[in-house]
Amino acid sequence: MKFKTHWYLILPLTFGFVAALLLNYTALPNPVLYLRADLGTFLFLIGAGASCLGWITASFVQRLKFFEKEIEEKSVRDRRKFLSLLDHELKNPLTAIMAGLANLNDGTQQETLHSVEAQVQRLSRLVADLRKLSDLETRPIEMNGVNLPVLLEEVFVLAQSRAGEDRVLNLAIPKAPWPLPEIQGDRDLLFLAVHNVIDNAIKYTKPGDTIELRANEEGSQVRIEIADTGPGIPASETSQVWGELFRGEAARGIPGSGLGLALVQAIIRRHGGQTSLRSQLDKGTVITLTLPTHGVTEL
Amino acid sequence: MDQPAAHKILLVDDEEAITENLSAFLKRSGFQVVIAANGQQALAAIGDESPDIVIMDVLMPEMDGRQALRQLRREENWIPVILLTQIGESTERAMALEEGADDYLNKPFNPHELVARIKAVLRRAKQGQPPLSAAWILTSGKLTLDRRSKKASLDGDPINLTPKAFSLLEYLMTHPGEVVSRERLLDTVWGWDYPIGTRAVDTRIAELRSALGDNASQPIFIETLPVLGYQFIHDVWVGK
């Protein structure tokens, strides 16, 4: 593609240059031309020339943008492919290790065995999360009417039981003048998305912090926000938190696979929505999930 | 371990690490184990060793598990087969049951779970008869399930089910009389674990029950077993 664009520019230029050389330095006739035009025609030609130039520039810029987008999409695809290969390659050794461990169960070193088993469990969870991520790209999504208020309340109750007494959890769902509209989607996946975000909030906040789950309707969209008064995310990390296997500075020592938010983003995107994040260090974080109320037109 | 008739298992996987460790475990669990490394070898071993059940990986060189299974069923060989599915892809899981596998497990799995599966499949299998999972149409009383067109009907009237509820009913109906845990249903029907886990299953079961007009306290089809899970209690047969 790029190759061709070059030739459009180079060929006429080369032709002109070669012709000029021939006419100037050989015995070929090289008459002086007087081109005359009235001002009107002249201005028209200038305008047409400028248009041509503008058109060439615009199409060039557009092509450049297209390539950039292509490269970005390809890198996302490559990464996903890599992750699904990784998931695949991890499965067989894990299966063998689990079978091997089951054989060892009558040994004396129970403590060592338990700790190895725990690590195997952890690896299995990572593999399961990797699988979810690649599965999400390909599996058809069930599109049914989802009652958001009920779903959010369920997530909230689950979060309350996980967080215990020492964090303040608030739920704000509008009931007046009308409740949140029904949205089209896969209930289990949407549940997982909201759950993952609020679970993160619980993990990274300390006793005494506040976590809020709120939602509102905005035109043809529903915004779900999960806000916390936790440690916040450094500006250098905010753009990376949605990436696969990314774990921030603060995540050290906190269990997790680094796939939680990547999954959230994949789920919301498949529902035709968007994710965003605002955060201030030492003040807190708010994650916003925006979903269209009338579902996705194209899957 | 000298029970009179220890069941003979044919274990098929191209990964030696798996066949070695798994066969040791299965032998300790009281089975006889024969090993094959691909579909071709498996077909030969089924002829030579006449095992009671086949545990087979899907992705293998030369002939994969899917092809081997298809060939077996084409020859009307109804030996019980448990497939070890490789990828979490829902298509592969759906394929496993459609091609006539008796059951399937996602890798990696807990070997104890495999033994539980083997026992359940052996209990259910009737010598020389196709498993319910190899049939396109299943009937249970007034309930008919057409697995090809993904439609269910009660007394001839079509009932509306979401795809997930349909898969759930399909799994329960192909495993009648078997106690299936919520975790197992999640793993097979949803394909991955959910934080809501058990609750997602309960919601779908409730949806199924109301569609089937089944009463939870006096069920005709699906019974809840406290803690353990669910069980399809009505007889199921092949065809209309």
Side-chain angles (χ1 to χ4, degrees):
Chain A
M1 279 280 229
K2 259 188 179 167
F3 183 74
K4 267 190 185 165
T5 341
H6 280 139
W7 283 110
Y8 279 128
L9 294 172
I10 291 169
L11 272 183
L13 197 71
T14 323
F15 171 76
F17 186 67
V18 172
L21 275 182
L22 282 175
L23 290 173
N24 276 317
Y25 297 101
T26 59
L28 287 170
N30 189 7
V32 177
L33 298 179
Y34 296 94
L35 298 172
R36 287 173 45 166
D38 55 293
L39 187 62
T41 316
F42 180 70
L43 285 178
F44 168 75
L45 286 176
I46 294 256
S51 282
C52 279
L53 217 65
W55 178 74
I56 290 172
T57 323
S59 67
F60 190 70
V61 168
Q62 200 183 10
R63 191 153 292 175
L64 216 62
K65 272 193 188 145
F66 175 77
F67 277 120
E68 264 172 27
K69 211 177 145 208
E70 186 98 310
I71 287 168
E72 197 189 303
E73 276 170 7
K74 190 175 179 308
S75 93
V76 170
R77 272 201 308 275
D78 284 352
R79 207 168 55 229
R80 288 282 148 84
K81 194 167 172 214
F82 166 74
L83 287 172
S84 89
L85 282 176
L86 182 68
D87 151 50
H88 187 76
E89 286 306 312
L90 284 171
K91 254 174 210 169
N92 274 332
L94 260 174
T95 309
I97 293 172
M98 280 163 110
L101 274 174
N103 283 326
L104 287 178
N105 246 337
D106 48 3
T108 42
Q109 309 248 317
Q110 283 301 317
E111 246 170 67
T112 319
L113 203 60
H114 285 320
S115 107
V116 175
E117 268 168 355
Q119 295 311 307
V120 170
Q121 283 308 320
R122 201 170 139 188
L123 263 179
S124 310
R125 269 199 299 277
L126 173 67
V127 171
D129 278 354
L130 282 172
R131 188 208 297 172
K132 285 178 202 173
L133 206 56
S134 59
D135 214 20
L136 258 180
E137 308 281 303
T138 51
R139 76 152 64 185
I141 283 201
E142 216 173 81
M143 284 288 163
N144 293 315
V146 176
N147 184 332
L148 263 188
V150 173
L151 183 139
L152 292 175
E153 235 156 88
E154 277 179 28
V155 180
F156 185 75
V157 170
L158 189 68
Q160 267 180 324
S161 67
R162 278 219 357 107
E165 301 272 294
D166 46 15
R167 284 172 184 71
V168 184
L169 261 70
N170 294 325
L171 175 70
I173 303 175
K175 297 208 166 61
W178 47 74
L180 288 176
E182 191 172 72
I183 64 165
Q184 290 296 312
D186 185 314
R187 189 180 200 279
D188 295 332
L189 289 180
L190 289 174
F191 189 107
L192 182 68
V194 185
H195 168 87
N196 272 4
V197 179
I198 205 164
D199 202 48
N200 259 11
I202 294 171
K203 273 199 278 191
Y204 293 107
T205 49
K206 293 190 181 58
D209 275 328
T210 303
I211 299 170
E212 247 176 54
L213 172 61
R214 47 192 191 232
N216 56 57
E217 188 183 353
E218 260 187 25
S220 58
Q221 291 184 321
V222 171
R223 281 165 68 98
I224 301 167
E225 289 192 330
I226 297 95
D228 67 58
T229 56
I233 298 166
S236 60
E237 291 182 357
T238 46
S239 61
Q240 299 171 65
V241 295
W242 303 102
E244 298 92 346
L245 298 174
F246 175 79
R247 304 215 63 206
E249 198 86 4
R252 293 199 185 130
I254 295 177
S257 64
L259 290 170
L261 287 183
L263 268 171
V264 172
Q265 192 172 51
I267 293 171
I268 299 300
R269 281 196 179 158
R270 283 227 56 188
H271 283 85
Q274 280 132 33
T275 52
S276 64
L277 176 146
R278 282 172 292 145
S279 187
Q280 278 188 40
L281 262 190
D282 300 322
K283 286 199 173 141
T285 305
V286 51
I287 283 186
T288 310
L289 314 177
T290 319
L291 288 165
T293 46
H294 34 60
V296 233
T297 39
E298 157 252 11
L299 277 183
Chain B
M1 299 280 154
D2 39 42
Q3 287 157 339
H7 286 292
K8 193 191 264 183
I9 296 174
L10 174 64
L11 181 61
V12 194
D13 198 313
D14 57 317
E15 286 265 335
E16 242 176 72
I18 292 178
T19 47
E20 247 171 53
N21 285 303
L22 212 52
S23 67
F25 180 78
L26 291 171
K27 278 177 192 159
R28 279 158 37 98
S29 308
F31 296 103
Q32 274 179 278
V33 184
V34 187
I35 291 170
N38 59 50
Q40 211 103 52
Q41 284 186 22
L43 291 178
I46 290 170
D48 298 342
E49 303 271 352
S50 49
D52 298 295
I53 184 168
V54 182
I55 317 290
M56 185 153 57
D57 190 24
V58 171
L59 278 190
M60 287 181 298
E62 304 202 15
M63 184 192 269
D64 66 24
R66 193 177 170 169
Q67 288 170 306
L69 176 63
R70 208 177 298 158
Q71 187 156 334
L72 270 180
R73 297 309 189 221
R74 211 182 299 132
E75 291 162 6
E76 307 219 338
N77 186 336
W78 306 113
I79 183 170
V81 174
I82 298 181
L83 278 187
L84 304 178
T85 40
Q86 273 280 359
I87 313 161
E89 270 176 27
S90 29
T91 47
E92 189 163 312
R93 288 193 301 277
M95 172 280 293
L97 280 184
E98 276 170 17
E99 308 254 1
D102 291 71
D103 214 335
Y104 52 97
L105 262 181
N106 287 326
K107 278 182 171 180
F109 52 84
N110 182 334
H112 293 281
E113 175 69 24
L114 176 63
V115 170
R117 292 290 99 204
I118 293 172
K119 287 184 176 160
V121 168
L122 284 174
R123 230 185 349 255
R124 204 171 56 228
K126 298 185 189 94
Q127 195 84 49
Q129 276 187 34
L132 291 173
S133 53
W136 284 118
I137 294 180
L138 296 175
T139 310
S140 179
K142 293 173 176 173
L143 175 64
T144 308
L145 196 73
D146 187 338
R147 297 172 64 206
R148 205 191 300 256
S149 63
K150 305 262 170 225
K151 284 191 178 98
S153 59
L154 200 63
D155 242 349
D157 298 325
I159 43 179
N160 254 335
L161 292 174
T162 58
K164 235 171 248 167
F166 184 88
S167 311
L168 194 58
L169 181 62
E170 184 180 19
Y171 191 80
L172 287 170
M173 270 184 93
T174 45
H175 298 78
E178 194 178 312
V179 181
V180 192
S181 69
R182 293 176 173 84
E183 290 73 24
R184 173 92 194 127
L185 286 173
L186 270 179
D187 192 43
T188 51
V189 177
W190 277 257
W192 18 302
D193 58 318
Y194 280 89
I196 2 114
T198 56
R199 206 174 312 175
V201 179
D202 294 346
T203 315
R204 298 291 173 161
I205 292 275
E207 179 193 332
L208 255 185
R209 275 192 177 132
S210 85
L212 299 177
D214 211 12
N215 184 343
S217 55
Q218 283 172 310
I220 308 168
F221 298 115
I222 302 165
E223 187 178 7
T224 311
L225 295 127
V227 190
L228 295 174
Y230 295 99
Q231 185 178 18
F232 197 88
I233 48 172
H234 203 285
D235 279 342
V236 178
W237 54 90
V238 175
K240 286 206 173 174

